[in-house]
């Protein structure tokens, strides 16, 4: 497998926590530059204030990872594709469905590889759950994805701005698993979205899903950013043939009938970059917008509820 020179655009928390450490130890990628409006750098590689500066100075770098907040991701990714770069997108891949469709079309027109990542899918337990439901059918799936926003997005006001997704920023991770493991497409039937009085995105969401499955399985989701203590990132599952299962640790472990059948170390980003290397070698894109569509649908049909103002 060839070593690919890559530049990272955006040096926020997820880049520093996941992307840079994984790239540093990867045998398939070499970090060649970064782009940071704050002038940050990593490992002594060149740092540029804008992507245009990067592209002008380093035409030898043909790949970028775009890890900025979603509201500016489309413009940066489109600029990269038009500059002849292959692009990896942190989740969510764009702020809107139309933006994502445009990026997919632009990548195809330019002959570039576009990879819209959903990190929570890259767990062996997720694939095991998918196999379980393909074999046994679905009676019910209940998602509980609850965490403390102050812990996971400390002081990050962009999550509360329009386009910042609010509680759907973590919730879309659950939806990426949900759409991967189900043997049919889910639809948002109803949603209750709870907004702090002083914020523009929801702090909590309750969703009910429908499907075309004639058995009419019960499918629900509970997202909340007000959880205190340990995170609750799990799904309670019952197969149509009566087997209880639980997908937990953010998709990192699966139990069936109370027995853990799959549990693996948290190596989601290692697997993301391994898959990206395969896509690059095959010159193939991987873009799935189904988790983003469910968020958009929840916003379209959701009932708005107002709660207390939120302050850091």
């Amino acid at each position: 497998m060839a070593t690919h020179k890559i530049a990272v655009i955006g040096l926020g928390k997820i880049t520093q926590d996941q992307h840079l450490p994984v790239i540093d130890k990867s045998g398939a990628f070499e970090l060649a530059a970064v782009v940071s409006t704050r002038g940050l750098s990593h490992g002594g590689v060149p740092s540029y204030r804008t992507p245009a500066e990067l592209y002008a100075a380093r035409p030898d770098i043909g790949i970028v990872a775009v890890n900025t907040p979603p509201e500016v991701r489309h413009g940066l990714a489109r600029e990269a594709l038009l500059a002849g770069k292959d692009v990896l997108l942190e989740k969510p891949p764009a702020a809107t469905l139309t933006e994502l469709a445009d990026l997919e079309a632009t990548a195809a027109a330019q002959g570039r590889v576009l990879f819209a990542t959903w990190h929570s899918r890259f767990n062996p337990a997720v694939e095991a759950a998918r196999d379980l439901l393909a074999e046994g059918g679905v009676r019910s799936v209940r998602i509980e994805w609850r965490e403390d926003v102050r812990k996971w997005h400390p002081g990050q006001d962009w999550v509360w701005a329009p386009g910042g997704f609010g509680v759907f920023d973590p919730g879309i991770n659950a939806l990426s698993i949900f759409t991967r493991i189900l043997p049919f497409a889910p639809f948002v039937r109803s949603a209750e979205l709870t907004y702090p009085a002083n914020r523009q995105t929801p702090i909590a969401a309750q969703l009910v899903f429908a499907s075309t499955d004639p058995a009419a399985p019960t499918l629900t989701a509970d997202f909340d950013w007000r959880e205190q203590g340990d995170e609750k990132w799990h799904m309670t599952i019952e197969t149509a043939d009566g087997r209880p299962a639980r997908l937990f640790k953010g998709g990192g472990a699966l139990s069936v009938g109370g027995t853990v059948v799959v549990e693996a170390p948290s190596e989601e980003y290692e697997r993301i970059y391994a898959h990206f290397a395969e896509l690059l070698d095959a010159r193939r894109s991987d873009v799935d917008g189904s988790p983003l569509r469910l968020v958009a649908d929840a916003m379209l049909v959701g009932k708005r509820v107002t709660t207390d103002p939120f302050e850091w």
Side-chain angles (χ1 to χ4, degrees):
M1 187 178 293
T3 298
H4 303 282
K5 290 184 179 180
I6 188 170
V8 176
I9 300 175
L11 266 68
K13 189 175 190 303
I14 193 63
T15 293
Q16 296 186 39
D17 289 352
Q18 296 289 350
H19 290 264
L20 295 177
V22 168
I23 293 170
D24 284 345
K25 66 183 180 183
S26 170
F29 292 93
E30 173 194 345
L31 183 68
V34 298
V35 175
S36 169
T37 58
R38 295 177 291 166
L40 302 178
S41 188
H42 175 80
V45 302
S47 178
Y48 301 91
R49 294 282 183 172
T50 69
E53 291 177 6
L54 165 70
Y55 304 149
R58 295 295 304 273
D60 59 309
I61 301 173
I63 306 165
V64 298
V66 181
N67 300 339
T68 61
E71 67 266 25
V72 298
R73 198 167 289 154
H74 169 262
L76 294 170
R78 195 171 199 277
E79 178 185 14
L81 292 168
L82 293 175
K85 313 303 179 185
D86 299 317
V87 177
L88 178 148
L89 296 170
E90 177 56 61
K91 67 86 193 171
T96 71
L97 293 170
T98 306
E99 287 182 351
L100 181 58
D102 177 67
L103 291 179
E104 191 170 13
T106 301
Q110 296 294 314
R112 309 319 304 174
V113 174
L114 180 65
F115 179 25
T117 66
W118 300 104
H119 64 80
S120 294
R121 286 182 174 179
F122 284 81
N123 284 294
V126 172
E127 291 307 298
R130 176 182 169 91
D131 293 343
L132 176 71
L133 293 178
E135 175 190 344
V138 186
R139 181 170 296 166
S140 66
V141 178
R142 174 167 176 75
I143 301 169
E144 289 186 86
W145 225 257
R146 304 168 63 93
E147 63 183 50
D148 182 356
V149 65
R150 292 181 175 88
K151 175 180 177 181
W152 292 96
H153 287 283
Q156 296 179 18
D157 279 322
W158 67 265
V159 301
W160 300 113
F165 283 70
V167 76
F168 285 111
D169 180 79
I172 204 169
N173 294 333
L175 296 176
S176 73
I177 295 173
F178 188 57
T179 52
R180 177 65 185 167
I181 66 175
L182 291 179
F184 47 75
F187 310 94
V188 179
R189 186 170 70 193
S190 64
E192 182 175 286
L193 311 177
T194 301
Y195 289 76
N198 61 337
R199 303 290 179 172
Q200 296 295 315
T201 57
I203 198 169
Q206 304 283 329
L207 278 58
V208 177
F209 301 93
S211 74
T212 56
D213 188 327
T218 301
L219 308 169
T220 61
D222 172 20
F223 303 141
D224 206 310
W225 252 349
R226 299 167 294 188
E227 187 70 22
Q228 300 298 301
D230 292 340
E231 296 76 30
K232 294 181 172 64
W233 295 328
H234 55 248
M235 301 182 188
T236 304
I237 298 167
E238 186 175 4
T239 64
D241 59 11
R243 285 176 285 175
R246 187 167 177 262
L247 190 60
F248 58 106
K249 293 187 176 180
L254 175 70
S255 65
V256 180
T259 300
V260 175
V261 295
V262 180
E263 186 169 10
S266 179
E267 296 179 340
E268 297 169 352
Y269 280 83
E270 286 85 347
R271 296 186 186 102
I272 279 175
Y273 275 93
H275 183 53
F276 190 34
E278 293 170 354
L279 294 174
L280 292 168
D281 290 343
R283 304 306 304 162
R284 180 172 63 87
S285 291
D286 183 351
V287 181
D288 177 15
S290 58
L292 184 60
R293 286 197 296 271
L294 290 182
V295 172
D297 287 350
M299 295 292 194
L300 283 170
V301 305
K303 171 186 175 182
R304 182 184 179 110
V305 176
T306 302
T307 191
D308 297 335
F310 175 86
E311 303 294 349
W312 295 108

